[in-house]
Amino acid sequence: MRKRILGIAAMAAASAVVLAGCSGGGAGEVAGDVDFSTEPTGTLKAWGFENADDVGTSRMDYAAEQLSDVEVDLDATAFDAQKFTTRIASGDVPDVVQMDRRYVTTYAAQGLIMPLEECFKAQDVSPRDHWYPFVVDDVTYDDAIWAVPQFYQPPAIIVNKKVLAEAGVTPDQIDTSKPDVLLEAIGRMYQESGGVPSRLGFDPVATGQSGLWILGMGGQLNDEDGAPTLDDPSNIAGIELLKQITDAQGGFAGVKSFTDSFDTFGDNNQYVAGQVGAQVNAQWYPNVLGPYADQIDIEAVPFRDADGEPFSVASGTSFVIPVGAKNPAAACAWMVDLTSDDAWMAAGEARAQTLDSEGGLNTGLFTGSPASDKAIREQFVTETGNAGFDQVISTFYDVVDYGQSFGSSPAGQEIQNELNNAVTAALLGDKTPEEALADAQQAAMRAYENATAG
């Protein structure tokens, strides 16, 4: 049972529960003469559906029932960015591809995928009503929507109440909008041996969650046109706060080395071992901690922005239709069916059955659609019998409404990579935040110019 739950969580960690050289052009040019309203029939080729779990297979089963005249040829290998462009260039074009949302705008700018407004019209879908608006923002570019999004697992802070109690700290002191209060609490909880951390007061997951910290403290990663803005002065505050947090715990190098040693998915994970007082985590992580509910005492608090308001960022996967797809009408219908409220309820039922038969706590499904999230929570997410886990689950549901897009940019993946490089350099003290961000901006701008050239 525990292996099953950890497997589910690991897939979620990898890609938010994965269902588990070209010339650019405007949305109208790329759309061409595609007719999404024709009756879906024939063979549909889909790629990027690696490790489909009960949530994925139940939704595909639902879509198959709706599209009885469509035969799905499923390629269950993982999406690969280089392979994608190679396949398009060679004419080996799938009808649907699943990919991280950070890639979508890159391919939109390069004219490799189709805009989907006419698809949504044909299927009678209003994107900003069906999905959270900030989830749609992830895949919006040049006044068009380029993908069908799925999943949105918000981050929050899970606190280890045993560690907090030992240090005389309360959960409300883990407040990212009050640096002085937070740093005092960190100092009380932090322990080291021979200059090496043995317990962190707070693990900010500085590189894994860098965008959360930058945006939450008032920064921005790209402008309205998608051009990177990493050297914007507003981005300095997030890095400076991260440096204060890591410096208070022996410095970033020591913190990173210590966190890399965590048994994150194992029996001696950082909460069981008492290695953290608090840590930023995405919504899937309580699934990992569920088997250890009788060994730990946890609670969750929201990440708060510079103004003290709960704050979250959207991330997840999506479906796109490549230019040159041979069956776009079936692709459109299939993508919409996979992300419909009925499909998500089928997934909620499948997950509930899995947990009933194999054990575990139902922490909910975070679909990217507010109506689906609400319906699944009401029908399937019942009290666990553990007050701490119930509070954690509730907190993640509370923060889902406070989301913001990372920003849609043709250089989206490069912006994230360069931001992580800048944060690492600044926290190590190799560069000032200003120097690190300036260098990151140059590299990200080169990627942006390459993506939008021609």
Side-chain angles (χ1 to χ4, degrees):
M1 176 275 292
R2 187 178 71 83
K3 289 181 179 179
R4 170 67 177 172
I5 292 173
L6 296 189
I8 290 171
M11 282 187 284
S15 57
V17 192
V18 170
L19 203 164
C22 297
S23 61
E29 295 176 68
V30 178
D33 297 325
V34 174
D35 184 1
F36 290 110
S37 64
T38 60
E39 190 69 21
T41 60
T43 298
L44 170 72
K45 292 186 176 182
W47 174 45
F49 290 76
E50 182 188 32
N51 292 332
D53 61 2
D54 51 355
V55 171
T57 55
S58 59
R59 291 159 56 209
M60 287 190 282
D61 289 345
Y62 170 82
E65 293 173 0
Q66 311 311 306
L67 302 172
S68 57
D69 293 332
V70 175
E71 180 182 351
V72 179
D73 180 1
L74 192 69
D75 182 342
T77 58
F79 170 77
D80 178 271
Q82 184 174 354
K83 185 178 179 181
F84 177 73
T85 54
T86 301
R87 290 186 67 168
I88 301 299
S90 68
D92 178 19
V93 183
D95 297 300
V96 175
V97 180
Q98 180 176 233
M99 63 178 64
D100 189 280
R101 295 202 288 267
R102 299 303 293 273
Y103 287 107
V104 169
T105 307
T106 300
Y107 299 131
Q110 294 176 345
L112 298 181
I113 58 176
M114 298 182 187
L116 299 180
E117 271 77 6
E118 294 304 316
C119 164
F120 294 133
K121 287 180 183 178
Q123 296 296 320
D124 195 26
V125 172
S126 175
R128 292 187 179 274
D129 292 328
H130 182 62
W131 293 287
Y132 295 98
F134 40 84
V135 169
V136 178
D137 288 343
D138 281 351
V139 293
T140 300
Y141 176 70
D142 195 24
D143 298 323
I145 301 172
W146 299 85
V148 170
Q150 60 170 352
F151 299 113
Y152 158 41
Q153 295 181 305
I157 301 169
I158 300 179
V159 302
N160 189 338
K161 293 182 70 176
K162 290 182 179 179
V163 172
L164 265 65
E166 180 184 326
V169 173
T170 56
D172 63 290
Q173 293 174 275
I174 311 302
D175 188 335
T176 50
S177 70
K178 298 177 180 178
D180 291 344
V181 173
L182 178 61
L183 290 169
E184 182 183 357
I186 289 171
R188 289 186 182 182
M189 292 184 284
Y190 174 70
Q191 293 180 354
E192 63 179 39
S193 177
V196 176
S198 57
R199 185 174 77 185
L200 297 181
F202 181 35
D203 177 13
V205 194
T207 51
Q209 294 284 353
S210 58
L212 172 69
W213 287 93
I214 298 300
L215 295 173
M217 295 303 115
Q220 64 167 11
L221 303 183
N222 57 263
D223 64 20
E224 292 182 358
D225 295 325
T229 56
L230 293 177
D231 60 350
D232 190 293
S234 65
N235 293 332
I236 294 173
I239 295 182
E240 289 182 336
L241 180 53
L242 283 171
K243 188 163 175 54
Q244 286 181 292
I245 291 170
T246 53
D247 284 353
Q249 302 177 101
F252 177 69
V255 169
K256 185 67 166 60
S257 178
F258 183 50
T259 58
D260 284 348
S261 73
F262 287 170
D263 187 22
T264 301
F265 295 96
D267 293 339
N268 198 39
N269 65 71
Q270 62 273 23
Y271 287 88
V272 170
Q275 294 172 311
V276 293
Q279 184 182 49
V280 176
N281 281 294
Q283 181 273 333
W284 55 263
Y285 196 61
N287 291 295
V288 174
L289 298 179
Y292 312 100
D294 60 347
Q295 301 177 49
I296 60 178
D297 186 7
I298 59 173
E299 189 172 308
V301 296
F303 185 96
R304 296 188 181 276
D305 65 18
D307 297 323
E309 297 299 321
F311 183 83
S312 180
V313 284
S315 62
T317 53
S318 62
F319 306 120
V320 303
I321 303 178
V323 168
K326 296 177 177 60
N327 200 348
C332 168
W334 193 63
M335 296 188 304
V336 169
D337 281 338
L338 284 174
T339 56
S340 67
D341 291 336
D342 288 339
W344 282 117
M345 288 304 289
E349 176 68 34
R351 176 53 53 86
Q353 290 178 358
T354 297
L355 294 172
D356 284 344
S357 62
E358 300 184 10
L361 307 180
N362 196 327
T363 63
L365 295 176
F366 286 65
T367 68
S369 168
S372 296
D373 284 355
K374 183 175 184 292
I376 289 171
R377 184 183 188 185
E378 289 178 348
Q379 184 163 340
F380 300 112
V381 183
T382 58
E383 290 188 1
T384 66
N386 183 301
F389 268 87
D390 289 339
Q391 191 274 343
V392 169
I393 294 167
S394 180
T395 298
F396 279 105
Y397 271 107
D398 290 342
V399 302
V400 78
D401 289 328
Y402 296 94
Q404 178 177 323
S405 171
F406 280 108
S408 174
S409 170
Q413 196 64 44
E414 289 80 4
I415 288 173
Q416 182 62 53
N417 293 340
E418 293 303 329
L419 176 61
N420 285 340
N421 291 339
V423 169
T424 299
L427 298 189
L428 287 172
D430 295 339
K431 302 176 183 177
T432 67
E434 292 85 353
E435 292 169 341
L437 289 170
D439 290 345
Q441 173 68 12
Q442 289 183 4
M445 183 56 77
R446 286 194 296 270
Y448 173 78
E449 290 171 347
N450 288 335
T452 56

